[in-house]
Amino acid sequence: MKLGFLTACLPGRTLGEIAAFAAAQGFEALEVAAWPALGDRPFTAAHLPLPEMTDRQTDEIAETVGKHDLAISSLAYYDNPLHPDARERAAVHEHLHTCIDAAAALGVPTVGTFVGRHPGRTVAENLADAETVFAPIVDHAGERGVDIVIENCVMEGWHPDGYPGNLAYSPELWEWMFSLGLYLNYDPSHLMWMGIDPVTALRPYVDRVRHAQAKDVELFPERRHRYGWPGIAVGRTDPWDVGWWRYRVPGRGQVDWPGVVDALHEGGFSGVLSVEHEDPVWGGTPDRVEDGLRIAHRTLRPLVTP
């Protein structure tokens, strides 16, 4: 198993600058943010020259990462393939195909995304739609030797009432998406606030985990007694502010990291555990983000031996 991080936490840094920092801190891999451009959603970045990446640029990227003895573990494009707007949905699908081609050119084994959701349709209607939507995506990825990994993020901010906006948040839905030829980018933090034990949930499915993310979560149960599981309902100005939990870097929340890493090891996972830094305490400036990544590294390095 290798230790890496998702580059989206440093949107203003170049891939070369990030690679130099990662190597200096003892990381071994990068999960490279591959959105088409910086948008208004937090924790996205464009660290590859997509959609028009030339052969020369591909070689330069491989050289930039390789000279620091790093691997690219995955390309990250977490958007909504079931977007309710037809034009937006088509753009997401097109960029997913672009990411698959870029991953194949760079020798990257996986591309990460979401299942997503149309918030105006039922879960059953969305799942039926997804079976059609993902078939050509999975086929294209298979032809290029790339696996599509789905993060089990809830994406509550995509639903007008804070309900799940990404239909991949539970083991029940994992089994459904595996039947479509999709794999899991496992993140324990989302399971914790959903009331699912992350170690118990992981153990039966390690063989379907192609990539894993390390994000912690800090829970405030006393606030949940006021808001309930969906979070703030009155005066919720920020769709991502549930009000009774927040994401943290590993070591600053309540995830059982020895248990998670042990379950991955025991199940035979030999891929990359990638820190996903969305911690508001260790955010705000690139220097503080880097400090947060150092904290994560100190927490996980004793568990993920190089």
Side-chain angles (χ1 to χ4, degrees):
M1 198 184 307
K2 293 181 178 180
L3 187 57
F5 66 85
L6 172 57
T7 66
C9 59
L10 292 166
R13 297 280 173 87
T14 68
L15 185 59
E17 290 168 338
I18 294 171
F21 167 80
Q25 302 308 313
F27 288 98
E28 300 150 293
L30 293 175
E31 181 183 2
V32 177
W35 279 264
L38 285 175
D40 56 1
R41 201 179 96 205
F43 306 112
T44 63
H47 285 134
L48 291 180
L50 299 178
E52 303 295 336
M53 189 168 72
T54 66
D55 290 343
R56 179 177 178 179
Q57 288 171 320
T58 300
D59 292 341
E60 289 172 348
I61 291 163
E63 181 181 356
T64 295
V65 175
K67 73 180 181 182
H68 294 290
D69 293 323
L70 297 170
I72 299 178
S73 62
S74 189
L75 301 189
Y77 174 53
Y78 294 96
D79 218 307
N80 188 358
L82 301 182
H83 199 287
D85 182 88
R87 193 174 302 175
E88 289 286 336
R89 181 186 288 210
V92 171
H93 296 180
E94 182 178 1
H95 193 69
L96 265 175
H97 283 272
T98 297
C99 287
I100 291 167
D101 291 338
L106 288 164
V108 176
T110 64
V111 169
T113 193
F114 294 137
V115 169
R117 180 178 188 167
H118 185 314
R121 295 176 180 169
T122 67
V123 171
E125 290 169 338
N126 272 281
L127 298 187
D129 191 12
E131 291 180 5
T132 300
V133 163
F134 277 96
I137 296 170
V138 170
D139 286 347
H140 182 62
E143 291 168 0
R144 304 307 304 269
V146 174
D147 290 332
I148 301 296
V149 293
I150 303 294
E151 184 189 349
N152 55 289
C153 182
V154 185
M155 294 306 288
E156 65 286 347
W158 278 351
H159 194 283
D161 296 314
Y163 302 147
N166 173 37
L167 296 176
Y169 57 83
S170 68
E172 176 191 21
L173 289 163
W174 300 350
E175 292 177 357
W176 161 81
M177 71 186 196
F178 295 156
S179 72
L180 307 185
L182 300 166
Y183 294 88
L184 180 62
N185 186 7
Y186 167 81
D187 184 331
S189 65
H190 310 296
L191 297 166
M192 294 268 303
W193 73 266
M194 292 287 288
I196 300 171
D197 179 74
V199 177
T200 301
L202 170 63
R203 288 192 184 280
Y205 304 108
V206 177
D207 66 328
R208 305 296 292 182
V209 176
R210 291 291 185 270
H211 196 268
Q213 289 182 329
K215 185 162 75 247
D216 218 326
V217 65
E218 185 177 12
L219 308 178
F220 304 97
E222 71 281 2
R223 300 182 192 173
R224 187 179 61 223
H225 294 320
R226 172 173 173 77
Y227 299 124
W229 173 85
I232 298 170
V234 178
R236 185 169 172 172
T237 57
D238 181 350
W240 304 101
D241 181 13
V242 174
W244 65 269
W245 57 265
R246 62 182 179 179
Y247 293 128
R248 302 301 308 273
V249 292
R252 292 296 187 268
Q254 292 153 294
V255 170
D256 174 14
W257 290 109
V260 167
V261 175
D262 192 52
L264 288 168
H265 274 302
E266 187 176 3
F269 178 75
S270 59
V272 172
L273 181 61
S274 177
V275 175
E276 185 181 18
H277 185 343
E278 297 183 356
D279 187 329
V281 177
W282 294 102
T285 68
D287 288 343
R288 287 189 66 79
V289 169
E290 289 181 349
D291 285 341
L293 290 169
R294 292 184 182 99
I295 292 169
H297 187 274
R298 288 199 299 268
T299 299
L300 298 172
R301 182 79 286 168
L303 305 175
V304 182
T305 54

